[in-house]
Amino acid sequence: MDSMDELFRIIDGVKPGETVLIEYYPSYIPEFVTLSLVMYGRERGLPVIIDDNFDALHVIHKHLKLWGIEEDFRDVFVIKSDGSVDIGNVIAKIRFSAEPVVYVRRYEEAGKNVLPQLGESINIVLGLEKIFAFVSSVREFYLLITRIQRFLGGPRKAFYLVNKETARSMEFNPLPEMERIASTVVEIIPTPLSGRIVFKKTPIVSLTGTELEIPTEVMGSAARHKGNRV
């Protein structure tokens, strides 16, 4: 079976309301994970929503161009906080607050009138670790974690992308608590020619401890096969 087909089959197994934590090291992993999930949403006829914190989607957009992949995300719904470059179909803008709990409350308010109408959907969260960088106390940290927990359930399949090295360097590392909250935890290890996906935690027993390797060229070819726009 083609590795992309296998990846899509695994995403099929993620149930609406689940939270998937994707841990990665500095690499082009965020670019290709975001691209894969957008491709999956289009293939399955599901709307895709991206939480774009601090222009993270703009960086991904520019990096994909360097790979020769022209992707404008025009059919992707975007909830944007801070930053100045709009990519995709921006449906809400959130004024960032140095108090992370205030930011999450604003996100809830911005999304409550839009997200329920979309039904089952793919939600990609970019730049989460940057929000935790503003946490200044243990109390604030757990208030933020509690707010994130409230997003469990509902019709969306949520995918949180977190840079492991950045998270570990913070005073309040969100990974241990995010791993507890998430129903599925995967670690993606970059190699010179591929991304190796390791399933650390999943309700799908057959996947626990298994790995899936996707060659970079397979991803690039899949994107270009769609007319140089995914």
Side-chain angles (χ1 to χ4, degrees), residues 68-89:
I69 299 171
E70 295 292 336
E71 171 55 68
D72 57 19
F73 298 99
R74 66 172 174 261
D75 59 343
V76 173
F77 299 104
V78 176
I79 298 177
K80 186 170 182 60
S81 68
D82 213 48
S84 58
V85 183
D86 290 354
I87 301 292
N89 179 14

Side-chain angles (χ1 to χ4, degrees), residues 8-227:
F8 281 15
R9 186 187 66 79
I10 290 169
I11 299 173
D12 283 338
V14 177
K15 295 179 175 60
E18 285 198 58
T19 291
V20 179
L21 175 63
I22 300 173
E23 304 173 347
Y24 67 90
Y25 297 91
S27 61
Y28 285 107
I29 294 297
E31 285 75 10
F32 287 106
V33 168
T34 300
L35 187 61
S36 296
L37 291 170
V38 169
M39 291 170 64
Y40 172 84
R42 289 174 180 149
E43 183 78 18
R44 298 296 193 258
L46 297 174
V48 177
I49 309 105
I50 293 180
D51 296 2
D52 179 16
N53 295 300
F54 301 97
D55 282 340
L57 186 57
H58 170 62
V59 174
I60 284 174
H61 175 251
K62 292 300 183 183
H63 284 176
L64 288 175
K65 278 194 168 186
L66 295 176
W67 283 85
I69 299 171
E70 295 292 336
E71 171 55 68
D72 57 19
F73 298 99
R74 66 172 174 261
D75 59 343
V76 173
F77 299 104
V78 176
I79 298 177
K80 186 170 182 60
S81 68
D82 213 48
S84 58
V85 183
D86 290 354
I87 301 292
N89 179 14
V90 178
I91 57 174
K93 290 190 176 183
I94 306 168
R95 182 167 51 87
F96 187 74
S97 170
E99 298 180 46
V101 176
V102 173
Y103 159 74
V104 175
R105 186 170 67 245
R106 289 174 180 168
Y107 171 85
E108 290 173 329
E109 292 170 354
K112 68 183 179 182
N113 295 323
V114 178
L115 299 183
Q117 301 174 17
L118 298 177
E120 185 178 345
S121 58
I122 302 297
N123 183 202
I124 307 166
V125 181
L126 303 174
L128 179 69
E129 64 270 27
K130 297 175 184 177
I131 297 171
F132 277 93
F134 289 88
V135 171
S136 59
S137 68
V138 173
R139 178 179 180 277
E140 191 173 60
F141 175 81
Y142 280 104
L143 283 173
L144 180 54
I145 289 292
T146 300
R147 283 280 182 174
I148 293 173
Q149 283 181 166
R150 289 172 58 178
F151 294 126
L152 286 166
R156 70 173 190 161
K157 298 181 180 183
F159 298 83
Y160 290 79
L161 279 66
V162 177
N163 184 315
K164 291 191 73 168
E165 289 191 3
T166 300
R168 285 172 173 171
S169 70
M170 294 177 178
E171 181 178 1
F172 299 98
N173 178 1
L175 285 180
E177 285 297 323
M178 288 299 299
E179 288 176 349
R180 177 183 64 82
I181 292 170
S183 54
T184 298
V185 179
V186 300
E187 180 178 53
I188 304 183
I189 302 168
T191 75
L193 298 175
S194 67
R196 188 156 54 88
I197 304 171
V198 180
F199 294 88
K200 299 170 62 176
K201 173 185 174 183
T202 170
I204 304 173
V205 177
S206 61
L207 287 177
T208 302
T210 63
E211 298 184 7
L212 173 65
E213 187 164 6
I214 300 182
T216 305
E217 186 52 39
V218 168
M219 172 63 65
S221 296
R224 298 183 190 98
H225 181 66
K226 302 288 186 179

